[in-house]
Amino acid sequence: RHLQSAFTNFFGKRAKYPRFKSKKKSRKSAEYTTSGFRFRDGKLTLAKMAEPLDIVWSRPLPEGAAPSTVTVSQDSAGRWFVSLL
């Protein structure tokens, strides 16, 4: 999605040619939109996974919340984090 907007801006003469670089230098991440994950009963299953992730929640989600984007990232110490939008 970010790459698509970069090329759209390039061909619209609003930006230079996109450079392929990490948005965060020390962090690996993957972003899943609504069709790439399933969130049911507090369990999160990503695309091509048979079982849900074992997540330790930092705080409860608001009642009736439906996430639209899930970002899974790894920091430089090797820890994994899941961010729900």
Side-chain angles (χ1 to χ4, degrees):
R1 193 173 61 179
H2 297 293
L3 186 62
Q4 178 63 38
S5 63
F7 273 108
T8 302
N9 289 335
F10 169 70
F11 289 118
K13 307 287 186 201
R14 293 184 296 272
K16 293 182 180 179
Y17 190 79
R19 293 183 305 190
F20 297 98
K21 61 181 181 177
S22 173
K23 291 178 71 68
K24 296 172 181 64
K25 295 192 185 329
S26 64
R27 185 176 297 207
K28 300 176 191 173
S29 67
E31 188 174 275
Y32 296 88
T33 56
T34 310
S35 62
F37 69 91
R38 180 180 20 215
F39 184 73
R40 291 189 185 145
D41 302 327
K43 303 280 186 180
L44 178 67
T45 306
L46 300 176
K48 299 191 178 191
M49 289 183 65
E51 304 206 6
L53 292 173
D54 186 24
I55 298 177
V56 178
W57 296 94
S58 62
R59 60 180 166 222
L61 288 178
E63 194 66 33
S68 62
T69 305
V70 172
T71 304
V72 181
S73 57
Q74 183 183 25
D75 66 357
S76 57
R79 296 173 296 192
W80 290 92
F81 297 93
V82 175
S83 174
L84 303 173
L85 177 66

